[in-house]
Amino acid sequence: MQLMSEKGAAGGGLRERKKRATRAALAEAAIRLAAAHGAEKVTVEAISAAAGVSVRTFFNYFDTRDDAYVVIDADAGARIRRSVLDAPASLTPLEALREAMAAELAEAEQQHELWRLHAEVLHASPHLLVRSLGAHMADETLLAEAIAARIRPGTRTGDPAATDEQRREALDLYPRLLAAVAATAVRTSVEHWFARQEEAAFLDVFQEVFDLLAAGLPAPRA
Amino acid sequence: MQLMSEKGAAGGGLRERKKRATRAALAEAAIRLAAAHGAEKVTVEAISAAAGVSVRTFFNYFDTRDDAYVVIDADAGARIRRSVLDAPASLTPLEALREAMAAELAEAEQQHELWRLHAEVLHASPHLLVRSLGAHMADETLLAEAIAARIRPGTRTGDPAATDEQRREALDLYPRLLAAVAATAVRTSVEHWFARQEEAAFLDVFQEVFDLLAAGLPAPRA
DNA sequence: ATGCATCTTTGCATAGCATGCAACTTATGT
DNA sequence: ACATAAGTTGCATGCTATGCAAAGATGCAT
């Protein structure tokens, strides 16, 4: 019995592959239609038709229409957490976080077309940007756990039996704040970069944000 | 001609007062019903009936059902902005922000019952917490503008002719980040306080969060 | 007070989102 | 090949949300 199925990989039986294909087809159809006609104008019926499944099946994969717009890579959070845990001990938690997220974002930027379409769609309707935040909030709690585990190696992390409620209550203020601020850093970086694309590369903006945070948000040249 | 009508005050004609009353009645009915039966189980019909208006009228006041849950005090943002602008020049932007928000939160905490019901409802369904963030995001842009104006007094703020798009593009990274981080600070404080209500008063948690931010999120006792 | 202009509320019609259920089709394991 | 489990589909249903036009309430000038 292999330990495989990191569940983001390509393996699995025909069934799993088909499911992933269907989900991907729905997500991509949703984004392309949204980019073309505006997110609010696209009906679930249109998305389903473009992906070649019934409307009912769409709702087997996504709880709401908007979920199809915002869930890009369901495994990114897990990779970031592992990266935080595995980072050299010489790094501060904030530095480890910066490295982990920078690596992930650099990879995301490779898939240029989809990343760009996503940015466009989300930017076009703030409503979706908010949902995107929401999609990352469960991740945020898990990330806070990983940070806590890094600081205090005794802490157990990734316990599947724990409810979100329990996770939240067990957390100290510091890891919680760090995770929240990191998510905010990403969001702010994306917004600023998108507003001024000509002036700066995305990863540079991201680094500058973390520099500001590490410096305690000092008042700029008064 | 008085300078009055800070539009949160009690003044105004009968029409305005009635409108505010209706809106308040809807918001309060929504929160009470949500606290009692669960936010998702409450229909717009029930909220409208409890407030004594028609369903259609509900949608004249709120774009979506969930908006009724999250919009507590529509003028809080404006007060914070003014407070930031009026703060003594000796304070850093971060300090001015902390003072402004602490004052506002202290007042909110006075209205104990509603504040508490809100916290409960939002905490019970993360979905709404997300929408709450969204409701504050427009405010966030305005706040970033106010911060920019405080730093560079030449900057115009509160121009009603500017679109959100224009506002966003004009902003520097620093004020944008500061506004975003401040909003995150509030959210994190509320979450942590709610998870451990016995252990610490809310405003103390809030102060600690800002201390951590001002110190550059240093690694805790390793 | 009377009448007019403006704003607000309301019911009705309509479209789209979302869920439960039962029937049907397709993989998987033996 | 067979039985079981998993996935898909259509149908019925309820709720959210918007446009429109009629009716009601308010503000204002005379």
Side-chain angles (χ1 to χ4, degrees), chain B residues 192 195-201:
Chain B
H192 188 258
R196 312 194 163 185
Q197 289 185 56
E198 330 74 36
E199 298 177 33

Coordinates of all heavy atoms in Angstrom, one line a residue, chain B residues 192 195-201:
Chain B
H192 N -9.3 36.6 18.3 CA -8.6 36.1 19.4 C -9.3 36.3 20.7 O -9.4 35.5 21.6 CB -7.2 36.7 19.5 CG -6.3 36.1 20.5 ND1 -6.1 36.6 21.8 CD2 -5.7 34.9 20.5 CE1 -5.3 35.8 22.4 NE2 -5.0 34.8 21.7
A195 N -12.2 34.0 21.1 CA -11.8 32.6 21.4 C -11.4 32.4 22.8 O -11.5 31.3 23.4 CB -10.6 32.2 20.5
R196 N -11.0 33.5 23.4 CA -10.5 33.4 24.8 C -11.1 34.6 25.7 O -10.3 35.4 26.3 CB -9.0 33.5 24.9 CG -8.3 32.6 23.9 CD -6.9 32.5 24.2 NE -6.3 31.3 23.6 CZ -5.1 30.9 23.8 NH1 -4.3 31.6 24.6 NH2 -4.6 29.9 23.2
Q197 N -12.3 34.7 25.7 CA -13.0 35.8 26.4 C -12.6 36.0 27.8 O -12.5 37.1 28.3 CB -14.5 35.7 26.2 CG -14.9 36.0 24.8 CD -16.4 36.0 24.7 OE1 -17.1 36.7 25.4 NE2 -17.0 35.1 23.9
E198 N -12.4 34.9 28.5 CA -12.1 35.0 29.9 C -10.8 35.6 30.2 O -10.6 36.3 31.2 CB -12.2 33.6 30.6 CG -13.1 32.6 29.9 CD -12.5 32.1 28.6 OE1 -11.3 31.9 28.5 OE2 -13.3 31.9 27.7
E199 N -9.8 35.3 29.3 CA -8.5 35.7 29.6 C -8.1 37.1 29.5 O -7.2 37.6 30.1 CB -7.5 34.8 28.8 CG -7.7 33.3 29.0 CD -6.8 32.5 28.1 OE1 -5.7 33.0 27.8 OE2 -7.2 31.4 27.7
A200 N -8.7 37.8 28.6 CA -8.3 39.2 28.4 C -9.4 40.1 27.9 O -10.3 39.6 27.1 CB -7.1 39.2 27.3
A201 N -9.3 41.3 28.2 CA -10.3 42.3 27.7 C -10.0 42.6 26.3 O -8.8 42.6 25.9 CB -10.2 43.6 28.6

